[in-house]
Amino acid sequence: MTAIAGCSSGEPPAQSPAKAAQPSASTAPQAGKLRTALLPAPKGMRVAYGPEIGRFGTLTSVKEGLAAVRQTKLDRPECAGATQLDPAKPEIAGAPAAVIAFSSPRGSITQAVVELPRGAFPVALPKQCAAYHADVQGTKVTYRTQNLSMPRQGDESRAYLTTASGGDRNAQIGSIVIRRGNVVMSLMVVGQKVKRAGLMELGRLADHNLSRLAA
């Protein structure tokens, strides 16, 4: 995804729904079902990208996110997207998925819903990734991530808040991942200030959609 924790510009890719990549015949039915679990545009925001469905690794936002990571030099490379789904893994790249992004003058929200093999849920944040540094196109950026306590959602859930500081553009990145059965939902909120209450409410709404998907 464009919003890979610690390496996000916060800007979703500019793509109209009409130009979204078409899913393969093998993934189309399930990816289409996953699309029903995506959130509607929150109040004050517009759809900036998608919804796009298909194999996770082929989606525009995922490919652009990987390209952004490759252009970023980290002192701890293992921390790039440490708490997110890793599209470099074949079983994740080929999984049916649906993605959407919203934006407003205050920030952006990117959501992905992916059907994965059990056990593919992202691991907890490694200790060495609580703070790390990166060179983002010549700008030195420091990322600090804290684990957020949250009411349990689905079968597993985690939430994090990352503060990125460097140059003249500071930002916060709130992220939530939730698993229900073999479906994982990833949510990323980027803005100058991410409110914990708002992030948790988005997580609650997203989990509600997941529960209806599993029904």
Side-chain angles (χ1 to χ4, degrees), residues 95-120:
V99 177
I100 195 168
F102 311 103
S103 68
S104 75
R106 298 177 63 181
S108 67
I109 298 173
T110 305
Q111 181 191 22
V113 181
V114 190
E115 183 179 295
L116 294 168
R118 291 183 185 273

Side-chain angles (χ1 to χ4, degrees), residues 15-183:
Q15 181 190 34
S16 66
K19 295 182 180 179
Q22 296 300 312
S24 67
S26 61
T27 62
Q30 187 57 22
K33 182 180 178 181
L34 297 173
R35 177 177 175 172
T36 65
L38 295 174
L39 293 169
K43 184 178 180 180
M45 304 192 81
R46 63 176 180 84
V47 175
Y49 158 77
E52 184 180 17
I53 62 175
R55 296 188 304 275
F56 187 63
T58 68
L59 300 183
T60 302
S61 61
V62 176
K63 292 189 291 185
E64 292 191 358
L66 284 173
V69 170
R70 295 188 185 104
Q71 295 173 12
T72 302
K73 298 178 181 178
L74 292 88
D75 62 347
R76 296 185 182 277
E78 70 276 16
C79 296
T83 61
Q84 298 299 305
L85 298 173
D86 184 359
K89 295 181 178 179
E91 68 273 20
I92 295 179
V99 177
I100 195 168
F102 311 103
S103 68
S104 75
R106 298 177 63 181
S108 67
I109 298 173
T110 305
Q111 181 191 22
V113 181
V114 190
E115 183 179 295
L116 294 168
R118 291 183 185 273
F121 193 68
V123 299
L125 180 74
K127 290 183 178 180
Q128 70 270 23
C129 297
Y132 61 97
H133 307 278
D135 184 318
V136 183
Q137 297 180 345
T139 300
K140 303 297 183 182
V141 181
T142 298
Y143 295 99
R144 300 186 186 280
T145 300
Q146 58 179 308
N147 183 40
L148 298 180
S149 60
M150 66 177 293
R152 177 174 171 174
Q153 307 283 1
D155 298 319
E156 294 181 87
S157 59
R158 296 193 182 97
Y160 301 95
L161 182 64
T162 298
T163 299
S165 57
D168 58 356
R169 294 186 63 185
N170 297 338
Q172 287 191 323
I173 306 162
S175 61
I176 290 179
V177 285
I178 300 171
R179 179 183 67 82
R180 277 189 178 269
N182 62 342
V183 177

